[in-house]
Structure formats: C-alpha cells, structure tokens
DNA sequence: AGCTCTTATGAATCATTGA
DNA sequence: GTCAATGATTCATAAGAGC
C-alpha cells in the first residue's frame, strides 16, 4: 500500500523535514517566471535563479545517490527575447554539484493558437535531467514503445548483408546488424516525448499531463521507491506515483490546492484499501 | 537571376570580404564539437565558445539591422553529461549585442540508433534565432501550414467556454477564442519543426535537409534578398536560396566540398538561364 | 505511372584498450 | 594518470530498383 505524505507550506521550508538521501526520483514543474502570480507570488524572471537555487540545494540533499531529478521548465519571452534564467540555472546547478545528464524535449502537440508579430506558438518545453552521480537507476525496458510500421516490411525479407554486421561504406564508423532486430516488437524511445497537454483541469492551472510523471516514474524508479514533487499542485505526480505502487511526498504552499489534493488523496487511498 | 558567390577558406577570414549590413538572413549549421574531424578539424567542446565567438562577431557586422541569424546546433554528451558550450555560447553572444529571440526545435524522426546505459537516442536539435533588433523582417504568412490533427480534434468538440472568450482563471492574462479559428484551413506553424535527416548522400555527409533552410528563407527573406551560410558544406542552403530566387553567399574551407559545390552551382545556374 | 520492396546510412555515445 | 583510438550498440527514412 503506497504512502502519500503531503506538506502545506513553502518547499524551501518544508523540504527540511525530508530525510537526507531518501528520495529516488524528484519530478516537478515549478511555477514558471511571471506565471501563477495569484497562488505563488509570481517569481520575476531576473530573480528566478536566485529563488530556485536554495530549493535545488535542498533537493540535492534529499535525493539518493542513485536518484534522478527531472525538472520541467521553459523560459518565457521578455521584451522580445527568450529569457536566460533557465540556461543560467543549469550552469549554476552544475557549479553546485549537479550533473546535467540530459535534456528531454516535450513536444506539446495541442498548444493553443496565438499570433505575435515576432514569434510563433511555443510548442515545446524542456525536461531537464539532473543527477548526483554518473551511475543512476534507469529502467529502460519499462518505457519501451511499439516498433514502427516500417518494421514488418523491413523484416519480411532479410538480405545477406542483413545477417552480418554491415559496416558503413563512407567511413562514418557506423554499422548495423539487422538480424539483432528479429522477433523484436518493442524498441527504446528517444529523448523527445510527445503528447497533448492536460486541458480539462479547472482547479489547477499547471499543465502537467498524467503520462509525463508516469513515464519518468516508470523509467527511474522501482515499486516502493519514493517520489517527491516539491510543487505538487493538483497532484498529478502523486496520483501517478500511487497508481504505480510508489510512495510519494508532495509539497504545496497554496492552501486551496493543498486541501483539495489532501481530500482527493484520502479518498483514493481509502478506496484502495 | 539569383547570384551565388562562393568563397574557399576559413570563414573567420573570408567573412571580411562581405560588406557590412548587407545580409538579410544567415542560416548555418557549423561543425559540432568533436565532429567532422576529417574536414573541419573537430573543434574540442571546451574550446567551442572561444572558437565561435569571433565568427559570431563578423556575422553581426555583415547582417542587416532587420536581418536574422539562424544557428543549428546541438551539444554532445561528454563524460556522461550534456556539455554546456551551447548555452554558454548563447550567454556570450548576448553579452556582445545579439538578441536571443527564439529557440526553435528540430525533431529528427530518424535519429541515429544506439543503446547506452544512461540515455536514449538523441532525437532533436536546437535552431537558435538571433537578431540585432527587436524588429526584424518576418513573413509569417509564407510558412503557414494546413490544419492538422490539432485542428481536427480541437474543433470537433467545442465546449461552451471555447465559444466565449475564456478569460484565464489563473491570472495568466491569456485568453482565447477558439471559435475564431473555425473555417480556416491554413494556420501558423509552431516553433517545433519535424522532418527526417538526409540519409542518402554519398559524396559527403549531409548537414541540413533541404526543407530546413528553405523554411527559414521563406520566413525571413523576400525575393532578391541575400542569404549567407558561412559553413555551406554540400550547399543545401545555396540551392534552397537559389530555388527561391534569393541571392546567396557561401563559404567553405574544405576544398573537396568547395569544388564539388562550385561545379554543381555553375551547372544549375547555367541551366536556369 | 504508380506501387512495393531493397538498401544504404545518418552532427551518436559508452566501454575498453592502447599510447 | 590523462588522452586518443577502437569496438559495440541499433531506428527510421528515402532513394532507387523492380514489377
């Protein structure tokens, strides 16, 4: 039976109650700069790095050495330019010991239309992966995807060159051995995730679709592991974690969100008994 | 009749022959760190920013105030981490007066295969947009796309809140009136581009797929404008520019590429007379 | 002409071995 | 030790051949 723990308060404070090196996966979508002013006070772009770094430090303390921190973030446009707080944050976090392992891209296919004279609709967000060590827990098999349509045609008739390693002819150093693919119906994904944004949530503004934390929970944790979201909001991360049999800690400073989520969690966990 | 000008040599030198504020669009894909060692020497990741900045300075000189610089680039993985030279380059270029207007995303559907313990296949690249001024030439109508799945699915079920202007309930200030889009069959694109990489070029490893410079030429130039690619390589940018009735300047330091492109350009321009 | 099938190959990364 | 070269891993696309 998964355990869900909820804290009401600013995660800069509440994180102190979380034990050091106890968390397997942190996955969160913090308030973006200038957004959600009514509930989070609207961090100014120029102040964003200074605001986030103390939180990043605490997250580093509570994360297991084998753990992963997935940060969903995107810079806003300010005065006709993309702001630099996200890339500055990456550099600062590296100075403080984080490893910037990877940047996944989330392609939001149903972003709302809009028209500006100098830019198009912003249809992607960053999913920054940070780690404490070069070795970390990663269950790649848990997120495999069906092989593409090309496979069936490709495998129907294997040529002779397919059965041996076929070295590239132009010196790229790349070869293939198609025979390895026989019988395979699932392949590994790429670092581009696509899916729609959540667009039916009236009580919380954050567009963190369920499949997104779910995917990283599958990838970076085992059952009974501990997942943390310091900006839990409407609780998407919590429900994904519980559904997957993981324990979860959520922190929320905006009381209406906190109370709403607390009630829904109690209901879900009671029903599951 | 479009004019194509080719220079053989290092663009740090050859760019001096290009007149100040004469170029409407720079679109290029410089050699990535540690890549193309045989033809370009393989710039080391730690030396990349220092190598590129003098080039960026010259590009700033030759670009018109209304012009745009599109830089296709992606960081490599070094020692288990994404290297930071690209984001450092953005910060340094801003210090030197460039505006970082936008970051388009190129989703490469047929990325290199491979399997590693700590990451998936890298399937996207950055397309960084830099400008000299907040006002720049942009022909948004030239790149409109037919409505796709988003339109189909979104329009099928128009909710009541879609029919009236739905002032955001979370203070984001973003309202929407989806009904305005009914009946249109062309919409503006997003900042995510997708398409395959070239994978059939035998004489030299292909840089851009043709549609990529073509798209930015449509978007950021008018007929008879001047397009510059300081790393012209196999000449994709040149052919796209010529086909679109734009003039083009290309620089190439690797003589086999230069000679090959020169011959093909002469052929094409002669045939077109 | 238009379809199906065959084939080459593309900005890759990590572990290991050798200098 | 540091650094460089070598080997192993494996999708999806589009040109071209075949029918």
């Amino acid at each position: 039976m998964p355990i869900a723990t909820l804290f009401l308060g600013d995660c800069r404070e509440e994180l102190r109650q979380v034990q050091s090196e106890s968390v397997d996966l942190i996955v969160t979508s913090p308030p973006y700069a200038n957004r959600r002013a009514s509930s989070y006070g609207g961090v100014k772009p120029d102040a964003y790095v200074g605001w986030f770094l103390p939180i990043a430090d605490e997250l580093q303390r509570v994360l297991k050495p084998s753990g992963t921190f997935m940060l969903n973030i995107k810079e806003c446009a300010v005065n006709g330019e993309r702001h630099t707080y996200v890339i500055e944050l990456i550099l600062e976090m590296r100075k403080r010991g984080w490893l910037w392992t990877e940047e996944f891209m989330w392609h939001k296919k149903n972003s709302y239309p809009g028209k500006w004279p100098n830019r198009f609709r912003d249809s992607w967000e960053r999913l920054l992966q940070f780690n404490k060590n070069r070795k970390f827990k990663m269950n790649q098999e848990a997120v495999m995807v069906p092989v593409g349509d090309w496979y069936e045609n490709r495998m129907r008739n294997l040529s002779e060159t397919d059965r041996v390693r076929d070295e590239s002819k132009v010196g790229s150093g790349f070869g293939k051995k198609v025979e390895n693919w026989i019988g395979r119906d699932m392949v590994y994904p790429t670092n581009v995730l696509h899916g729609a944004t959540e667009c039916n949530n009236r009580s919380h503004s954050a567009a963190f679709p369920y499949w997104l934390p779910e995917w990283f929970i599958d990838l970076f944790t085992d059952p009974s592991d501990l997942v943390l979201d310091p900006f839990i909001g409407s609780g998407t991360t919590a429900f994904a974690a519980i559904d997957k049999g993981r324990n979860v800690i959520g922190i929320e400073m905006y009381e209406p969100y906190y109370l709403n989520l607390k009630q829904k969690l109690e209901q879900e966990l009671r029903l599951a008994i």
Side-chain angles (χ1 to χ4, degrees), chain A residues 144-156 181 184-190:
Chain A
M144 293 184 88
V145 294
V147 73
D149 298 334
W150 60 272
Y151 177 85
E152 201 175 330
N153 290 328
R154 182 71 183 83
M155 288 300 121
R156 202 172 302 151
W181 307 345
R184 171 152 326 166
D185 53 355
M186 300 288 277
V187 298
Y188 295 103
T190 71

Side-chain angles (χ1 to χ4, degrees), chain A residues 24-54:
Chain A
D24 293 279
L25 170 66
I26 302 163
V27 55
T28 195
S29 189
Y32 297 178
N34 276 345
R35 299 288 152 201
R36 295 199 247 165
S38 61
S39 45
Y40 288 106
V43 183
K44 290 275 178 299
D46 289 338
Y48 202 88
V49 174
W51 169 75
F52 196 81
L53 279 179

Side-chain angles (χ1 to χ4, degrees), chain A residues 22-85:
Chain A
S22 64
V23 174
D24 293 279
L25 170 66
I26 302 163
V27 55
T28 195
S29 189
Y32 297 178
N34 276 345
R35 299 288 152 201
R36 295 199 247 165
S38 61
S39 45
Y40 288 106
V43 183
K44 290 275 178 299
D46 289 338
Y48 202 88
V49 174
W51 169 75
F52 196 81
L53 279 179
I55 299 170
D57 287 344
E58 276 297 288
L59 295 177
Q60 199 172 19
R61 181 183 65 75
V62 303
L63 189 67
K64 280 186 191 172
S66 62
T68 292
F69 172 24
M70 288 299 318
L71 178 61
N72 171 220
I73 198 166
K74 179 69 194 252
E75 52 273 83
C76 53
V78 175
N79 205 8
E81 271 191 285
R82 285 285 160 198
H83 202 278
T84 55
Y85 59 85

Side-chain angles (χ1 to χ4, degrees), chain A residues 117-159:
Chain A
N118 57 347
R119 62 181 67 252
F120 291 129
R121 281 183 295 150
D122 189 7
S123 203
W124 64 279
E125 297 193 13
R126 304 177 196 278
L127 291 160
L128 304 173
Q129 179 189 349
F130 295 99
N131 290 96
K132 294 172 84 166
N133 291 295
R134 295 196 157 75
K135 301 273 187 189
F136 50 86
K137 181 188 290 191
M138 191 180 198
N139 302 320
Q140 298 191 346
E141 292 71 25
V143 294
M144 293 184 88
V145 294
V147 73
D149 298 334
W150 60 272
Y151 177 85
E152 201 175 330
N153 290 328
R154 182 71 183 83
M155 288 300 121
R156 202 172 302 151
N157 294 310
L158 283 182
S159 68

